[in-house]
Amino acid sequence: DQQVKQNSPSLSVQEGRISILNCDYTNSMFDYFLWYKKYPAEGPTFLISISSIKDKNEDGRFTVFLNKSAKHLSLHIVPSQPGDSAVYFCAASGGYGGSQGNLIFGKGTKLSVKP
Amino acid sequence: NAGVTQTPKFQVLKTGQSMTLQCAQDMNHNSMYWYRQDPGMGLRLIYYSASEGTTDKGEVPNGYNVSRLNKREFSLRLESAAPSQTSVYFCASRTYIAGNTIYFGEGSWLTVV
C-alpha cells in the first residue's frame, strides 16, 4: 500500500516554462514533506521541504505547495532549465521519533527540460 | 566536508556470496539509514539506526543485516546474495536538529549474478 504516490513517471517541459510535479499521500499523520532531486549515478540531494503548518514554501525557482485537505503537494519550478532534468522524489514523514519519523518516498518523476 | 561516504561504489557478486557495504558520515548525525532503489520502485528503506546502539527493520529487511559500529559508521551485510538483491544501495544520515531532512551518500551499485 503506497503511502506516497507520484502518479506521473515522467514529465517533459520546454526550457523557460513552468514544471509542475505532483505528489499525493494517504497517511494523515504525515506532517513534514520533502522533495529530493536525483541525477543519474549520484545520490539524491535535498531540494526543498514544507511543514504541515504551512501551505507554501519558496526557495528561488522552486516552490512547494501543500493542500492538506486534499493530501496533495506539488513542486513548481519556474523557469525550468535544462540542468533541472533529473528524477524528483517526493517524501513524507510523521514526527521525529521512532519509525514514524522515517521518510517514505514516492516512486519518482523523471523531468526532462528541453532546450 | 565528505558528508556521507559509501564503499564500494560498484560490486559484482555471485549468488550465495556474502559482502558488506560500508557507510560513514562525518556530520555527527544521530540517525543512519540504508535504502535500496530499484527501477519503478523509488527508494525503499531496508534498515535504520535511530541512534548509536540501536537498529530497526524498515520496509524491505529480508536478506540483510546491519551493524551500527559507532556514531559515524553503519554497515549493511548481505549474508547470501540473491539476484533479487541486485540494486543501487544508498546510505543516508540525519540529525533531528535539522528537522527531517536526510542526506544521502552517492550510492553503491550491486549486481548479483
Side-chain angles (χ1 to χ4, degrees):
Chain A
D1 180 30
Q2 268 190 281
Q3 296 187 70
V4 178
K5 301 177 184 179
Q6 294 178 255
N7 292 320
S8 298
S10 62
L11 175 68
S12 183
V13 171
Q14 206 67 32
E15 181 179 7
R17 305 295 291 269
I18 184 172
S19 295
I20 300 177
L21 294 92
N22 293 304
C23 179
D24 297 293
Y25 62 95
T26 59
N27 189 339
S28 59
M29 297 301 292
F30 287 151
D31 61 2
Y32 196 75
F33 305 89
L34 307 88
W35 286 94
Y36 280 81
K37 177 180 180 179
K38 185 184 180 303
Y39 292 117
E42 295 184 8
T45 54
F46 169 71
L47 189 58
I48 192 170
S49 63
I50 187 167
S51 165
S52 60
I53 62 173
K54 296 183 177 181
D55 54 18
K56 176 182 175 182
N57 188 27
E58 192 171 355
D59 184 2
R61 297 186 296 112
F62 303 91
T63 303
V64 56
F65 295 92
L66 176 62
N67 182 334
K68 290 187 290 294
S69 61
K71 294 191 177 67
H72 176 83
L73 63 156
S74 60
L75 174 68
H76 292 210
I77 307 173
V78 183
S80 301
Q81 300 173 353
D84 296 329
S85 298
V87 176
Y88 290 79
F89 290 101
C90 172
S93 73
Y96 288 98
S99 60
Q100 65 267 27
N102 293 337
L103 293 183
I104 307 298
F105 285 85
K107 293 185 176 183
T109 296
K110 184 176 182 180
L111 174 65
S112 299
V113 181
K114 298 181 178 180
Chain B
N1 188 352
V4 179
T5 304
Q6 302 179 222
T7 56
K9 193 165 180 71
F10 300 99
Q11 183 73 48
V12 178
L13 284 178
K14 293 183 178 179
T15 298
Q17 284 186 319
S18 63
M19 77 158 297
T20 300
L21 298 175
Q22 307 286 353
C23 175
Q25 52 91 9
D26 62 3
M27 296 176 282
N28 200 36
H29 286 175
N30 298 316
S31 301
M32 298 186 73
Y33 306 83
W34 276 105
Y35 285 87
R36 61 178 286 174
Q37 185 196 8
D38 302 292
M41 298 298 290
L43 292 155
R44 295 183 292 171
L45 183 63
I46 305 171
Y47 269 93
Y48 67 99
S49 171
S51 61
E52 186 179 355
T54 69
T55 61
D56 285 288
K57 296 178 180 179
E59 181 185 357
V60 288
N62 290 344
Y64 305 95
N65 285 302
V66 291
S67 296
R68 183 73 183 268
L69 303 172
N70 47 56
K71 191 171 185 180
R72 289 187 64 249
E73 299 173 287
F74 188 40
S75 62
L76 178 72
R77 183 161 178 83
L78 287 70
E79 291 290 353
S80 178
S84 61
Q85 294 178 304
T86 294
S87 187
V88 184
Y89 292 85
F90 292 100
C91 179
S93 69
R94 177 181 82 181
T95 177
Y96 292 120
I97 297 172
N100 278 5
T101 304
I102 65 173
Y103 298 87
F104 286 90
E106 294 190 344
S108 297
W109 275 254
L110 177 65
T111 301
V112 183
V113 297

